[in-house]
Amino acid sequence: PGQTLWPLLEFSLLVPQDAICTLNTLQTNASCLEQVRRGRSHPQLQLQAMKAFLERTGLTVEALDHLNIIHVTGTKGKVISAEPATTWTLSPSSPHLVQVRERIRINGQPIGKELFTKYFWQVYGRLEKSKDAHGGTMPAYFRFLTILAFHVFLQEEVDLAVIEVGIGGAYDCTNIIRRPWVCGISSLGIDHTQILGDTIEKIAWQKGGIFKPGVPAFTVKQPEDAMVVLRDRARETGCPLRVCPELDDYQKHCGPLRLGLAGQHQHSNASLAIQLSHTWLQRRCRPGGVFQPLLLIQTAPLFMNQTLKHGALTYFLDGAHTMRSMQACVDWFVEAAAQHERNASGPVARVLLFNATGERDSAAMLKLLVPCHFDFAVFCPNITEAAASCNADQQNFNVSVENMLTRCLDNQRSWQLHSSKGPGLLIEDSPSLGPEKKADTVVFPCILSALQWIAQGRNSVLAQSTEVILPVKSSIVAKAALLRNAAEIHVLITGSLHLVGGVLKHFDQTSSK
């Protein structure tokens, strides 16, 4: 503490990509992840380890008491935007879409490159210098980012820190926070079952672990079994828990409200954002004061309106990766796509671009998507492009490329089973699943090659790409005639936030700056 480990001169020589590449070395591979899961049998040790890493950087849990924190967890809709103060922050949003700097935001914007680089090397340098005295240990990727976020917030003296849980709550590394101003739990669903449990009750117990004695907490309407657990956890902790009202209740007093994201499920997220913001204002700025409901409601847009249009192509982006969120995605897409098709000048082709990661039941999610009546189902791993120069922000060492491609082939088989179509046609030099016959599924080795094939040269942004595209079989080229002849192409991109982020990376080159 107080010692400069990395001279200022060095910062000018270190670009953000160097920091990000170094950060990627902290990613846990599959074998390490399995060790982490086994270590969950002693979850308290995880929190003790987090405190030890924090102290090695010169921070303590007592120092975190000086931050004005809103602590948020939930399966869906954790990311909120509320600006009751000059400076507000969101951290560490997981996963990032395009740039890792998205995970630490100041005033709603990703931390700048210079600040990120400076603070990264300060924290990493202290951990690196002390690791020999601690058995050579370094914090894993998300744990490091959480420590980095705490360091940034304290150094920048932020007015408000919105801290988002990584996984669960009770034993999540962010739960070393002792004195938040208010806590929030968004909509719960079945996810991360290997870590949190395979029932809604077990998951609710984990989420309720962020409750603190005397600290007000809010949740949205939950399944009754989950609600019982949350109430019990709140009572045991001594935490006053309230359920957020419906969004319509605000409109009775404020008039019509417009949200930044589509979907009925966003209404509960907006209500939670209102209650958290209002409570923080009440407790922090005017203790004992009386407040009217906030007139402005915003949800942080992961991407503009969830729909992007490039020429004849309209992309519908939704990071749904659980059964509940996928059903919400289907409901939204069916309505939104139909509205676009009513205004189309001719026939429209529908394409699904899908991938799923981890232990998620991709077959069940794909079954939900079948009624959308896609002309093509395209599968690819969360690899932005096949080139070796892939952006460091998008690199993932948690799973091998072979496993990612195998998962895509499994997803293809699941789609064929549910949609009763023939076997798919793969890119050149990929293993064939059967005789070449009329099919509606294609597998590509990266996001860019999938996007290029779907667009058929009709997206000027993709056409300008300098990346080398792998050749495809002539039968696949012929099959794409439907795409070339369609007046418009509607593409639903879903199943993984990493997939959505990889797509955005190709569409918005400025996001890399």
Side-chain angles (χ1 to χ4, degrees), residues 442-458:
V442 191
V443 176
F444 286 97
C446 68
I447 294 172
L448 181 58
S449 58
L451 291 174
Q452 289 274 14
W453 183 82
I454 294 170
Q456 289 296 304
R458 303 172 73 179

Side-chain angles (χ1 to χ4, degrees), residues 310-322:
H310 289 270
L313 288 101
T314 302
Y315 300 90
F316 300 83
L317 301 135
D318 195 314
H321 53 271
T322 67

